[in-house]
Every structure is written in C-alpha cells, then in structure tokens.
Amino acid sequence: MSGFEVSRNDYDHISVLYLSGFLDAHTAPKFEDGLQKLIKEERVKIIVNLKNLDYISSAGLGVFMGFIEEIREKGGDIKLSNLSPKVFKVFDLLGFPALYEIYEDEIQAKTKYSETK
Amino acid sequence: MSDYLNSFRLRNQEKIDSNQMDPRHLELSSLFEFSQTLNSSLDLKSILDSLLFVPMGRMMIGKGMVLLAVNESACKIATVKGLPADLIGSTFEFNDKPGDVVLINSDSDYSNLPEIFIKNKIKLLIPIKSMNQVTGMLVLGQKLLAPGFNEDEIHFLSSIGNIAAPAIENAKVFEKLNTVNRQLDHKIQELNTLFEIGNELNRLFDQKEILKRLSYSLMGQMLINQFFVAVKTDNTLKVVYKKGSIFSEENINKCLKSGIGKNDFQTPLRIEQTEEQLKNKFCDFGIKIIVPMVVQDQVRGYIFLGSKLNKTGFSESDVEFLSTLANIAIISIENARLFQETLEKKRLEEELNLAKNIQTKLLPDTMPVISRYDVHGYNIPSKSVGGDYFDIIKLNNDEFIFTIADVSGKGMPASLLMSNLQAGLHTLHQENYSLAEITFRLNNLIYKNTSIEKYITFFIAKLNIPQNKIFYVNAGHNPPYLFFKDGNYEELSTGGIILGMMADMPYEIGELQMKPGSYLTMFTDGVTEAMSPDDQPFEEFRVIDFFKQEIAKPVSCEQINLKMIETLYKFAGDPTKDDDITILTLSRKE
C-alpha cells in the first residue's frame, strides 16, 4: 500500500498542513486526524500545501468537505496551494474551485490570510 | 479567400496596372493576418473577439456583436463590444436569416429584422456561412467618422465573415469535445471512487469505519456536507451516521416518522420531483434526495442528502453514482454485522470450551488405590457444558468420601454452580463435620448463591475401611444401589431435600455394611433417562438387572462401568445427546 504523510507547521495565526503521497479512502483518516487536531486547538486559518501529494481520490476530497462548514463558522478557512496538474484536475472535475481558494504557492495563500485578518 | 482576391483584382485592375495599390495591399495583409490568427486558435471566445476587433479597429466602428445560430429560427448573442455585456448569452428569435450582407440605410430597412437591431442601431449584417448554411452573423453599428460603408469595405467584411466561419466551426467542435471529455473524466472519477470504496469496504468489518469511508466518498464526489444515514434494525430506521448542521435530532425523527420505511422505494427519490405534500415535508428539513440502500431487492436503509455546496442539482449521473455507492455500503454494513455475530458466536464457543475444560479438571482424573477395595468413576459430558459432578476424597488411610451430584440446567450457569459445590465440599470436609453437617452447610451455601429454580441433587458417602461400613446422605439424588453377591440389593435413599431449595434443612445419615463382593453404584439421571430411538427411557430396572447379572462373577469397577456405558450406547444410540452421563462404582474385593 502506498504511503501518505501529514506534517504541519505553524506560522503565527496560520497553520500549514503538508500532505505527501496518496490520499484516498484508506489514508483519509490520517488527514482527518490532522484537521481535527487543528480545530481542537482553535487554529482554523489553515493552508493545505499539496506540493508532494501524488494522488488524491474523491474520498480524499471528502475530508476537505467534512470540515469546511465548521472551520468557516469559526471564522477560519481551508486554502489550498501548490497543486500539481494531476491533483488539480480532480479538484476541478468535482467543482472544488468554486468552493475553495486555490493558490499557486503557500506565500500567496498566506498573503491572502494577512489581507483579511 | 480566392473570391475576395478575384473581385479585388477585378475592381482594382486599373490601380494594379498603375501600381497604385498601397492601401489595398494593407487591406490584403490584414486579411491574411486575421486568417492566421483565427486558424491558430481553437478558443471560441478569442476567435469571436478578433472577429469583432478587426473590423471595429480598421473602420472605427463603435459597437458590434457576433451572433451564433442556435437553430433555424433563433440566434444567441455570443459576444458584444461597445454594447452592454449582459447581452452575452441571451437568445432571440431570428427567422430567415439573410444569406447576404444587409446594409441598413434607413429605418424602413429594419422592418423585417429583430427588434434588437433597431434598439442597438445596427447598420450592417454580415452572414457567417458554413456549407451554405448561415451559422452566425457579424453585426456592426455605424462608423464613428464617416457615414455608410463603401463597396470595398463590405467586400472586406464579408471576406472576414467567410474566413471566420470554419474557425468558428472548429472551435465549436473543439468546445463540444472538451465538454464530452470532461464528462468522461467525471465518469471515470466516479468509477474510480466506486472502485476505491469497494476495495476499501471489503477490508473493513466495523460499521463505524465503513460509514466514515462512505462519508468521505460521498462528500468528495458530490460536494455535499449535509447528510445522514439511517439503517433498518428490526424494521425500524435508526440513524447511524450524521454529518452537517442542518439536520437536528428533532427534524431527523420527524423525517423518519414521516412514513419513510413503511413504503419502501427502491430507486432514489428526488424531493423536487415528488408530489407536493411529500415535497413540502422534506424541503422543510433541507433534504434534496433520498437514496435507498438495497440488498437483494430489500431496502435496508436510506441515505438522506441535503443540497450540494455548489448549488447545482443532482444530475442523472449523480443519482446513479449515489445509488451504487449506497448499495455497496449497505452490503458492507450487513457483512460487518454478520461478521460481528460470527465473532460473538465463536467467542461464546471458545468460552464454553474453556468452561468445559475447567469442569473436566474438577473431576478426579486418576482413581485412588484403596486397599481391599476397587473404585472407578467415569463422566461423559454432553455436547454443551453439563452439570454432572463426582469426586473421591481421601480423608485418611481408613476413610474415603465418594460423592456424586447433578446440577440443574446446562451450560455456563450449571457449570458455575457445580464449581461452587466442589469448592464448598473441599473446604467443608477438612472441618471434621459429619456427613449430615456437610450436607446441611452445602445446602445453605447453594441456597444462598442461587435462585430457587437452580438446585443440585447430591449424594455423599463415606467409606470406613476397618469397619467395612458405608455412611451416606442422599439429598434428592436418584438413589444409588448396593448390590450383594447373592443377588439382593439395597437402595440408598436416606437423607433429605435437594440442595438449594430451602435453607436450614435437616439431613439424615444412612448406614450400610459393605460385604465382600458387593458393589455400590452411584450414577446420574443421564443413565436412567437415556432414551432409546422409540422414546423408551433406560430406567432403574435395567440398571438393577444389568448389575445383578454382571457381578455374578468378579469384575473390576472399571470394566463394569465401561460395559454399562456400552450398554447405554447400544440402547440409546448417543446417550450423551441430552445429558451428561456419570457413573461411580465402588466394590469390596472378595
């Protein structure tokens, strides 16, 4: 089975999750845990950096969906950055760009948070 | 293109001949450039934009639009310049689209044309033709500086229309191809999701995990985060998973009580498409679609879904996907339930085996050697854990205790009670109590520890070797027999009531002489109640007859017990089918 890792870095009021490997139904709980932890710590300004994500399935996208309502209610957001074309295609196919802000890189996403602070 | 060049030559023969053609040369090269731009692009919007910009720029026209034919009688405004942008995308009726350039010089020229042209002061209509069909139209307002269009300009514009036609067609085909491709990609994504979840669910045997995976796929593929899953248990729907904030406990309950589940439906129900009454009911709760979860034509549950986050409705393809996903999930949920049940059963069986082992260990595994006496006890447990018990306890070199008991019921409770009795007995015999006192105390112990319907039939005997005497108490056990060599026998029934029925009951001690060659046999009702195939019990008289016959010549207790059991098997087939069988025999050697 292919691996999947979540790591995290906190910058001031923003937290960045770095996903790598394969995000599918099997590995989704790991990502869910990561997001759940952030919510518990009330760190809801979240950037998910997908630079090293090789593959994402609909189930992986489901994790994003499962938390967005709660996070936005708490005044936060999930912004995405560094999507490879292959990963972006899945997001695009399922209509995610209409619901989530997607940025070229992490800095742009951070800037966006700073603007709306 | 060649048309334009021919007519250009014809009209300008003189100037060509006299080398006075610089402005025309410019026109020609701009046409060439335009043609190249168009043919290098497959993007419909940029093609249409240049189709407008080229004439507007060259002839200083303030406004224009490109129309595309939707069908024979209607047109769509594909792009506009210098006119309100909200016109883009609107359609209007336009019958008999002119196949030639229409130049509008006076208001009367508008008479046969759609109103929109008057409103926007359109001066020139140039058809865009593909295979002799008018597929679109380049529509321009008036020039800002000079009035009217001269013949050259009309020719030029008409050529532009002709050049644009194939490029527009190509772009349209390309656009369509893109749409189809995207739909295909979407379908592939759907299939991947189903394939993935199928694989994943096959691995899981825990309902909670299964529902979690189902929710990921549902949310990711459908762009929803409002839904709940209700599964039938004993024919009532119970919510097993809920996501999102719009479904309150109260609403869910109302919804489940609204008759869903009574009249099962096997295909997804789109609330907008149902009858008014149902529609209002579910719309109030925010439910948009209800997807049944079906196993072998049986509806086992439903998924209730709210709106998609991107506000689009559920497409045919979405509904198909949901239906398949729901069915895959419910099969896994069912399997998980069966798996858990099997596990539970297996665990119980293992526990039973454990209990059986413990119970077997409570019975003596070797027979003591008693001088001038022979003893043998044998227990065959029935399939489940039984309640038979026998024991031989050496008190000292001269005294031995023999006991046999049958605990009411079977299985774990009987087994527990039996070990209780065993522990009690092993404690009490050390205290130098008489048999009556031991029995009295055991009765109180069992009475205290059990309900009234649990009881034990109990027989205890003490052998005194120097006196060759048997002292005994029979607490409701089927009476043992003492057989003498001469063919007579004694029934050992003195004692009292069954253990565990009433507290503080008195017990009486019986006393008998063990003559040489006599056999004392104790057994449980598994022997006397062993049933023959024609439903005849073995009964006491057969036990008595058997022993009378067998002890005529000296025989070891082990031999006689085994022969007894052999006889029981012959009589009943499998005598251990319903009950344990226990026989304990003691004989005084001759």
Side-chain angles (χ1 to χ4, degrees):
Chain A
M1 206 153 294
S2 314
F4 170 74
E5 291 302 329
V6 184
S7 60
R8 165 180 160 186
N9 249 333
D10 291 347
Y11 304 91
D12 198 9
H13 60 295
I14 300 168
S15 288
V16 185
L17 291 181
Y18 299 88
L19 310 188
S20 64
F22 279 60
L23 177 53
D24 55 19
H26 186 64
T27 57
K30 220 172 183 173
F31 177 35
E32 188 177 22
D33 289 346
L35 281 177
Q36 226 146 25
K37 216 168 152 219
L38 284 176
I39 293 173
K40 221 168 156 186
E41 295 173 24
E42 298 283 327
R43 299 190 60 88
V44 289
K45 293 190 175 358
I46 300 164
I47 296 169
V48 183
N49 185 327
L50 304 178
K51 188 171 172 231
N52 293 317
L53 191 70
D54 300 315
Y55 170 82
I56 188 165
S57 77
S58 296
L61 298 185
V63 180
F64 287 94
M65 292 294 295
F67 289 99
I68 194 65
E69 192 183 32
E70 192 181 348
I71 285 174
R72 286 186 182 156
E73 258 167 30
K74 288 180 192 281
D77 194 16
I78 302 177
K79 299 187 199 297
L80 306 163
S81 80
N82 303 73
L83 279 72
S84 72
K86 198 172 140 195
V87 168
F88 177 77
K89 192 180 161 193
V90 180
F91 276 88
D92 187 40
L93 261 182
L94 297 174
F96 271 63
L99 304 175
Y100 293 83
E101 293 172 25
I102 297 176
Y103 296 96
E104 282 288 311
D105 56 42
E106 202 182 304
I107 296 164
Q108 282 181 27
K110 279 182 191 155
T111 312
K112 189 75 188 171
Y113 269 126
S114 312
E115 282 167 9
T116 55
K117 191 152 55 171
Chain B
M1 188 84 168
S2 61
D3 275 357
Y4 176 75
L5 287 179
N6 288 340
S7 81
F8 185 81
R9 273 196 203 97
L10 208 68
R11 280 181 283 122
N12 298 295
Q13 201 60 51
E14 221 175 287
K15 282 165 192 161
I16 292 169
D17 291 343
S18 61
N19 288 335
Q20 285 184 310
M21 59 160 297
D22 274 355
R24 322 279 166 176
H25 184 242
L26 208 67
E27 207 164 83
L28 203 72
S29 67
S30 109
L31 263 187
F32 181 68
E33 189 194 317
F34 175 65
S35 154
Q36 272 192 325
T37 314
L38 288 197
N39 286 318
S40 65
S41 173
L42 280 170
D43 178 49
L44 189 58
K45 191 177 175 319
S46 74
I47 288 171
L48 298 181
D49 281 350
S50 18
L51 179 58
L52 273 179
F53 279 141
V54 169
M56 286 170 76
R58 276 191 62 80
M59 293 173 196
M60 303 230 210
I61 300 166
K63 54 192 167 193
M65 53 174 113
V66 179
L67 311 177
L68 292 177
V70 179
N71 52 41
E72 293 233 322
S73 60
C75 272
K76 188 177 91 176
I77 301 178
T79 185
V80 297
K81 299 292 167 202
L83 290 168
D86 56 10
L87 285 174
I88 296 174
S90 61
T91 54
F92 59 90
E93 211 167 294
F94 193 178
N95 283 310
D96 305 324
K97 291 177 268 289
D100 293 311
V101 173
V102 177
L103 187 60
I104 298 162
N105 293 315
S106 65
D107 284 356
S108 63
D109 291 340
Y110 284 121
S111 59
N112 289 325
L113 295 172
E115 204 193 346
I116 191 165
F117 294 146
I118 310 179
K119 226 165 98 188
N120 292 300
K121 300 202 173 90
I122 295 306
K123 289 292 167 204
L124 190 63
L125 305 181
I126 295 145
I128 298 166
K129 289 199 275 190
S130 176
M131 311 225 272
N132 274 332
Q133 289 275 318
V134 179
T135 56
M137 203 158 279
L138 174 60
V139 176
L140 297 167
Q142 69 185 66
K143 291 204 283 188
L144 294 182
L145 295 178
F149 292 88
N150 66 33
E151 206 186 333
D152 272 353
E153 285 167 336
I154 290 171
H155 269 281
F156 174 75
L157 291 172
S158 159
S159 302
I160 277 186
N162 289 339
I163 292 168
I168 291 172
E169 282 310 301
N170 283 345
K172 270 158 70 181
V173 169
F174 184 72
E175 207 167 59
K176 204 166 167 185
L177 211 66
N178 262 340
T179 313
V180 171
N181 257 336
R182 207 175 152 80
Q183 280 168 350
L184 258 177
D185 279 346
H186 200 265
K187 205 78 202 166
I188 288 170
Q189 182 71 21
E190 263 178 18
L191 287 176
N192 274 339
T193 303
L194 289 176
F195 180 70
E196 181 191 281
I197 187 120
N199 265 345
E200 186 65 13
L201 292 191
N202 275 340
R203 226 174 39 80
L204 297 172
F205 289 102
D206 178 75
Q207 179 175 299
K208 224 176 102 196
E209 288 296 312
I210 290 169
L211 288 164
K212 202 169 172 182
R213 299 312 200 282
L214 167 70
S215 91
Y216 292 147
S217 296
L218 211 53
M219 291 192 291
Q221 188 73 36
M222 286 289 115
L223 277 185
I224 50 165
N225 60 0
Q226 304 286 352
F227 65 93
F228 63 93
V229 184
V231 172
K232 277 187 190 175
T233 6
D234 305 327
N235 233 13
T236 44
L237 283 170
K238 236 167 93 186
V239 176
V240 290
Y241 195 92
K242 184 176 104 86
K243 186 93 206 177
S245 55
I246 66 166
F247 301 121
S248 68
E249 195 100 341
E250 193 191 347
N251 279 350
I252 288 178
N253 280 336
K254 269 194 221 158
C255 179
L256 294 185
K257 279 181 192 144
S258 68
I260 285 258
K262 283 190 197 103
N263 303 312
D264 281 337
F265 47 93
Q266 301 239 343
T267 50
L269 186 72
R270 276 192 259 201
I271 298 304
E272 294 123 45
Q273 294 174 3
T274 59
E275 65 217 71
E276 208 56 31
Q277 197 196 348
L278 203 62
K279 189 167 153 181
N280 290 340
K281 199 151 47 185
F282 286 113
C283 281
D284 285 351
F285 303 143
I287 293 167
K288 294 285 177 227
I289 185 165
I290 304 174
V291 185
M293 305 172 94
V294 185
V295 186
Q296 290 173 344
D297 291 338
Q298 294 271 317
V299 177
R300 306 307 305 260
Y302 295 97
I303 305 178
F304 299 79
L305 299 134
S307 327
K308 285 181 160 197
L309 270 194
N310 61 358
K311 305 292 173 214
T312 58
F314 290 92
S315 69
E316 229 19 80
S317 165
D318 287 346
V319 174
E320 259 172 48
F321 170 82
L322 285 171
S323 199
T324 312
L325 186 65
N327 296 347
I328 291 176
I330 193 67
I331 289 171
S332 283
I333 291 172
E334 289 274 292
N335 282 345
R337 191 178 55 77
L338 291 176
F339 182 70
Q340 292 299 341
E341 272 174 16
T342 313
L343 269 191
E344 181 69 7
K345 211 175 141 204
K346 209 166 170 196
R347 199 179 55 79
L348 276 179
E349 265 169 23
E350 266 164 24
E351 259 175 26
L352 215 60
N353 275 336
L354 209 66
K356 229 169 165 171
N357 278 341
I358 292 171
Q359 194 173 12
T360 317
K361 287 204 175 102
L362 294 179
L363 305 177
D365 50 355
T366 54
M367 296 301 135
V369 178
I370 306 172
S371 62
R372 289 178 284 126
Y373 280 83
D374 178 29
V375 67
H376 182 258
Y378 199 72
N379 167 268
I380 314 173
S382 80
K383 267 172 251 110
S384 50
V385 182
D388 276 14
Y389 170 60
F390 80 92
D391 213 346
I392 304 164
I393 302 165
K394 181 179 181 180
L395 295 178
N396 49 58
N397 279 338
D398 293 339
E399 288 179 311
F400 283 81
I401 279 182
F402 303 88
T403 182
I404 188 161
D406 189 351
V407 179
S408 70
K410 266 181 235 162
M412 207 62 94
S415 166
L416 281 174
L417 198 52
M418 175 190 137
S419 54
N420 201 332
L421 174 75
Q422 193 254 6
L425 180 64
H426 279 251
T427 318
L428 287 170
H429 79 72
Q430 293 163 5
E431 299 291 329
N432 227 351
Y433 289 127
S434 72
L435 291 186
E437 283 168 325
I438 288 179
T439 313
F440 176 85
R441 285 181 160 75
L442 280 176
N443 176 47
N444 282 356
L445 174 79
I446 301 300
Y447 176 78
K448 219 170 65 194
N449 289 351
T450 62
S451 56
I452 195 86
E453 68 274 9
K454 287 265 168 261
Y455 54 85
I456 301 175
T457 68
F458 176 72
F459 176 87
I460 184 165
K462 181 152 79 180
L463 169 69
N464 185 299
I465 299 169
Q467 296 174 17
N468 291 313
K469 266 191 173 171
I470 284 284
F471 304 91
Y472 73 90
V473 170
N474 188 340
H477 195 76
N478 46 328
Y481 298 107
L482 177 59
F483 295 98
F484 302 108
K485 234 177 115 185
D486 59 8
N488 289 323
Y489 69 96
E490 291 263 6
E491 203 179 279
L492 285 69
S493 337
T494 308
I497 192 170
I498 295 170
L499 302 188
M501 297 290 272
M502 270 183 276
D504 300 327
M505 297 304 292
Y507 290 92
E508 221 182 305
I509 299 178
E511 188 181 327
L512 284 168
Q513 196 69 38
M514 279 295 274
K515 294 177 186 161
S518 60
Y519 288 78
L520 170 62
T521 185
M522 298 155 263
F523 48 91
T524 54
D525 59 7
V527 173
T528 46
E529 286 168 16
M531 288 291 179
S532 70
D534 54 349
D535 266 349
Q536 293 297 311
F538 193 72
E539 288 188 68
E540 283 76 1
F541 78 88
R542 288 196 178 85
V543 180
I544 294 164
D545 288 352
F546 171 83
F547 270 86
K548 274 184 178 170
Q549 201 181 326
E550 293 300 320
I551 67 165
K553 50 185 186 295
V555 59
S556 79
C557 289
E558 180 172 7
Q559 274 174 325
I560 204 165
N561 281 353
L562 292 180
K563 191 153 188 196
M564 176 81 234
I565 282 159
E566 198 187 311
T567 310
L568 281 175
Y569 270 92
K570 272 185 193 150
F571 179 81
D574 180 7
T576 65
K577 200 166 61 207
D578 300 316
D579 206 352
D580 298 1
I581 287 178
T582 307
I583 308 176
L584 175 56
T585 304
L586 170 74
S587 70
R588 181 177 168 192
K589 293 176 185 165
E590 284 185 65

